[in-house]
Amino acid sequence: MGQKIYETDSYVKEFDARVEALDSEGWYILDRTAFYPGGGGQPNDRGMIRVGSGDLEVVEVKKNSEGEVVHRVSGGVLELGAEIHCLLDWQLRYSYMRYHSAVHVVSGAALKLFGAKITGGQIYPDHARVDLNIEGFDRPKATALEEESNRVVESSYDIKVRFVPREEAIKNPNLVRVDPSHYPDTQIFRVIEIEGYDSQFDGGTHVAKTSEVGRITFSKLENKGKNNKRIELVLPSN
């Protein structure tokens, strides 16, 4: 299985790789990739592959049934064994990183203030939403959550990646934010830690410090059920 660069370093903007295989549906497998395949509410990356004198567009990235990251390109074909240079659409990726980290900040603050857990979420290039099971969620609680979230941002906590055994992850109530049955069938879990503040199981890409997120503004609040509250949030432009 190819090396997943994004799992340990979210800041790799370009990289060299070799084309390992082409599956029956026209998806390419590389020996290493920094393209995030999507998951956990974060969309897949896009970008370019440079081979010879031409550029091919990476239009979609996903994981196949074997857990391999596969890439679909447009504008030409890749030869098996070809040495290629890949470039991420960095502006798009960095937006996803900031918004994904913002969701972790808000959900971590919600856990500390209200004991709330995540019921859903989605990340977009220019906004994000997070669903939380907060009982009696009203404007004062929303204000308190927004203020605490921005205190965390301004404190510039380090955001780090660590890996823990599945058994440890499932037993730790601070890591389990959703139904464990939704977790992948793997023995090692990837954890994103806002150092000294919050830790969550997560597969996505994140910024290195909370200060990179920028000020969080709750742009919309919705009631999605008795205790299911949806918060839409926006950040300053990159």
Side-chain angles (χ1 to χ4, degrees), residues 5-121:
I5 299 170
Y6 59 82
E7 288 189 335
T8 55
D9 189 348
S10 295
Y11 287 84
V12 173
K13 303 176 185 179
E14 54 185 279
F15 60 98
D16 294 321
R18 183 177 63 254
V19 181
E20 294 278 270
L22 175 65
D23 70 15
S24 59
E25 297 180 352
W27 295 81
Y28 290 98
I29 299 171
L30 310 180
D31 69 327
R32 60 199 302 265
T33 186
F35 287 107
Y36 182 65
Q42 180 177 334
N44 66 267
D45 285 326
R46 300 172 66 96
M48 303 294 293
I49 290 178
R50 184 159 294 155
V51 55
S53 59
D55 288 342
L56 281 65
E57 184 181 3
V58 178
V59 295
E60 191 174 357
V61 188
K62 68 176 184 178
K63 281 188 179 180
N64 63 16
S65 58
E66 286 75 42
E68 297 170 310
V69 179
V70 294
H71 311 71
R72 188 182 293 280
V73 304
S74 68
V77 297
L78 295 170
E79 298 292 333
L80 296 184
E83 301 291 337
I84 59 176
H85 187 70
C86 305
L87 302 96
L88 275 66
D89 180 334
W90 180 247
Q91 183 174 359
L92 181 65
R93 156 65 86 80
Y94 192 60
S95 290
Y96 289 154
M97 287 165 59
R98 292 176 64 228
Y99 274 105
H100 203 158
S101 296
V103 167
H104 276 232
V105 168
V106 173
S107 61
L111 181 68
K112 290 201 180 308
L113 292 178
F114 312 118
K117 290 194 175 182
I118 300 170
T119 56

Side-chain angles (χ1 to χ4, degrees), residues 20-216:
E20 294 278 270
L22 175 65
D23 70 15
S24 59
E25 297 180 352
W27 295 81
Y28 290 98
I29 299 171
L30 310 180
D31 69 327
R32 60 199 302 265
T33 186
F35 287 107
Y36 182 65
Q42 180 177 334
N44 66 267
D45 285 326
R46 300 172 66 96
M48 303 294 293
I49 290 178
R50 184 159 294 155
V51 55
S53 59
D55 288 342
L56 281 65
E57 184 181 3
V58 178
V59 295
E60 191 174 357
V61 188
K62 68 176 184 178
K63 281 188 179 180
N64 63 16
S65 58
E66 286 75 42
E68 297 170 310
V69 179
V70 294
H71 311 71
R72 188 182 293 280
V73 304
S74 68
V77 297
L78 295 170
E79 298 292 333
L80 296 184
E83 301 291 337
I84 59 176
H85 187 70
C86 305
L87 302 96
L88 275 66
D89 180 334
W90 180 247
Q91 183 174 359
L92 181 65
R93 156 65 86 80
Y94 192 60
S95 290
Y96 289 154
M97 287 165 59
R98 292 176 64 228
Y99 274 105
H100 203 158
S101 296
V103 167
H104 276 232
V105 168
V106 173
S107 61
L111 181 68
K112 290 201 180 308
L113 292 178
F114 312 118
K117 290 194 175 182
I118 300 170
T119 56
Q122 186 63 47
I123 297 157
Y124 304 90
D126 59 355
H127 69 286
R129 67 169 174 82
V130 57
D131 298 347
L132 300 163
N133 63 341
I134 302 178
E135 185 175 354
F137 192 60
D138 53 15
R139 176 53 64 178
K141 283 188 175 181
T143 299
L145 181 57
E146 187 175 26
E147 289 177 351
E148 172 64 5
S149 298
N150 281 305
R151 185 196 69 77
V152 173
V153 168
E154 292 164 6
S155 296
S156 196
Y157 289 104
D158 289 335
I159 301 178
K160 297 185 176 181
V161 178
R162 59 189 178 93
F163 297 86
V164 299
R166 180 185 183 90
E167 184 177 348
E168 176 186 336
I170 294 297
K171 288 181 178 179
N172 188 335
N174 290 325
L175 298 180
V176 180
R177 303 294 173 85
V178 297
D179 186 342
S181 66
H182 296 160
Y183 289 174
D185 184 18
T186 179
Q187 295 308 306
I188 301 295
F189 277 16
R190 181 176 181 266
V191 172
I192 298 299
E193 179 180 4
I194 301 175
E195 195 169 40
Y197 190 79
D198 182 69
S199 295
Q200 298 181 40
F201 165 66
D202 184 78
T205 61
H206 292 269
V207 294
K209 288 183 173 292
T210 56
S211 55
E212 290 184 60
V213 168
R215 182 163 186 82
I216 297 171

